[in-house]
Amino acid sequence: MVGGIQVLTNYLLIPDNLFSAGLGHHKLFLHALDAIWTCVVGCSANEELFLMQEGVFVLVDCLLTHPISMKSVILGVLVDLSDDARCIPHLQAWQAREGGKQKLDPLQRGSESMSDTLHLSSKSLGRNNDTTVGIWSLLAELWRREEAALNVDRKEGIIIADVNEALTTGLQREMRAQASNEHSHASLCVMDVADNMRAKIYSLCSRLDFRAVPDSISVEDRATIVLIERYMDIKTGEIWREIASELESEGTRPVAYDREGIVEILNVHRIKCEQILKMQTDVFEMRSQESLREEQCYYQTIHSDHLMEQMKQAEMDEYLERTSNYIALRDAKERQRAKISASRPG
């Protein structure tokens, strides 16, 4: 059994640059994921062996480096594996450095070099080269890139631009316009859950516990996680808004109690989106205030250094004056004697 788990882990270590070689490595990798899904997930003994072989670290490495077409499957495996509470510490402990140098790597899995598929660099995340990238930063970056690909309306790629369409994708807007006169189409909000990775990212973050978000993450990541944490609330409100819109387009009038309930739900949904927008804005304002404080401290340091230099220069000028001018030396001597006399008691 141990040998089988080791074989699966080795298949996961296939370098991603071989996927485009046309030799079927991508199929082998996907079959390995399928084997993990069917043979490891749900079996406590196999899950324990998989964790002992550092399988979770390998999967998250793959999530970082592999093509976007495979990330959704990898996320699905990680979400199901996280049903086992023993998996959570492994996810929280995962870290990656710039260029793919791994920490927490006792088995020396460093032979595989990371590709630029995700371009998750320290520069793009606003970090120094020595700063590690953890699971929260990785998931936040995946969320932002997924929303950018889906053409979700965002300010600066992060902040909600329209509280009425907090999660609406470009495809949803197009299909809504095309299907305005049709009443048999499937729910666009529900289809959206299966069409992209946002629901899986939310599920994995929920398993990790939003209360465990480290303080060391960047402002961009924190603002993104604020949105991820409220994904389910926003999605529920979107579905209710879609229901209300379909009822209106069909000419169906709910009874008074149902109509009041729908109106109240939509109002609560809007208020929640406005609160999320405010929280995201506050996060960026806090960064601006912190940057301003750091700038003021920096200028204060410069001012103190400048005053110190002036004092040193004044002392040097006085010394040169005393050593090169007899009259100045005599005056300094008299001042010194006067101070000594003034300091004596009585």
Side-chain angles (χ1 to χ4, degrees), residues 266-314:
L266 296 181
N267 288 336
V268 171
H269 169 65
R270 181 179 179 84
I271 292 172
K272 285 184 177 181
C273 290
E274 290 174 349
Q275 290 175 345
I276 296 169
L277 175 59
K278 184 178 184 304
M279 292 173 66
Q280 289 185 307
T281 306
D282 289 345
V283 168
F284 279 94
E285 287 181 354
M286 288 175 61
R287 183 184 66 171
S288 299
Q289 294 174 0
E290 183 178 353
S291 299
L292 181 60
R293 286 194 300 270
E294 291 177 355
E295 183 179 356
Q296 290 174 345
C297 291
Y298 181 70
Y299 282 128
Q300 184 64 34
T301 303
I302 294 176
H303 181 65
S304 299
D305 292 343
H306 185 63
L307 288 177
M308 187 64 66
E309 290 294 331
Q310 288 180 333
M311 292 174 62
K312 289 180 179 179
Q313 185 63 40

Side-chain angles (χ1 to χ4, degrees), residues 207-244:
R207 299 280 173 78
L208 290 169
D209 192 353
F210 289 101
R211 294 172 297 180
V213 177
D215 296 331
S216 59
I217 63 174
S218 68
V219 173
E220 291 80 5
D221 293 342
R222 187 167 296 280
T224 303
I225 291 171
V226 166
L227 178 60
I228 297 175
E229 186 175 2
R230 277 80 179 175
Y231 171 80
M232 187 60 67
D233 292 337
I234 301 174
K235 179 59 67 175
T236 302
E238 277 192 347
I239 293 174
W240 275 104
R241 190 173 67 248
E242 187 177 69
I243 292 172

Side-chain angles (χ1 to χ4, degrees), residues 11-204:
Y11 283 147
L12 294 179
L13 293 173
I14 297 175
D16 59 285
N17 57 3
L18 295 179
F19 292 159
S20 58
L23 300 176
H25 291 86
H26 63 291
K27 295 181 181 179
L28 181 60
F29 179 81
L30 289 174
H31 282 303
L33 288 178
D34 183 61
I36 293 171
W37 227 331
T38 55
C39 302
V40 176
V41 175
C43 178
S44 180
N46 288 346
E47 286 179 350
E48 183 176 1
L49 292 173
F50 188 70
L51 294 175
M52 291 175 61
Q53 296 292 330
E54 293 195 336
V56 171
F57 290 148
V58 176
L59 281 175
V60 184
D61 291 345
C62 295
L63 184 62
L64 174 66
T65 62
H66 284 30
I68 190 67
S69 58
M70 295 185 177
K71 294 186 188 298
S72 182
V73 183
I74 298 171
L75 270 173
V77 176
L78 285 172
V79 169
D80 285 348
L81 275 174
S82 62
D83 279 335
D84 188 344
R86 294 171 297 181
C87 176
I88 302 302
H90 289 249
L91 290 171
Q92 293 173 335
W94 179 88
Q95 289 180 335
R97 284 187 178 272
E98 180 76 9
K101 295 179 181 178
Q102 303 286 320
K103 295 181 71 177
L104 298 172
D105 198 2
L107 294 185
Q108 300 298 323
R109 305 189 312 270
S111 59
E112 297 77 30
S113 62
M114 288 193 176
S115 70
D116 294 331
T117 305
L118 183 60
H119 302 286
L120 189 59
S121 64
S122 298
K123 183 178 179 181
S124 67
L125 290 174
R127 294 171 171 81
N128 298 324
N129 289 338
D130 293 334
T131 305
T132 56
V133 176
I135 186 66
W136 289 102
S137 298
L138 173 59
L139 294 176
E141 178 70 9
L142 282 174
W143 179 280
R144 290 193 293 270
R145 292 180 179 274
E146 182 74 353
E147 290 201 326
L150 295 170
N151 195 23
V152 181
D153 195 9
R154 291 280 184 265
K155 296 177 184 177
E156 302 180 9
I158 300 173
I159 301 175
I160 294 174
D162 185 356
V163 294
N164 292 319
E165 295 188 345
L167 294 176
T168 305
T169 65
L171 180 61
Q172 281 181 276
R173 290 191 290 269
E174 293 177 6
M175 294 181 65
R176 186 185 301 161
Q178 295 174 1
S180 58
N181 297 323
E182 301 177 8
H183 308 303
S184 59
H185 64 276
S187 170
L188 300 178
C189 292
V190 175
M191 290 172 58
D192 171 70
V193 175
D195 288 343
N196 57 73
M197 297 189 294
R198 290 187 295 182
K200 294 177 181 177
I201 295 174
Y202 165 76
S203 299
L204 190 55

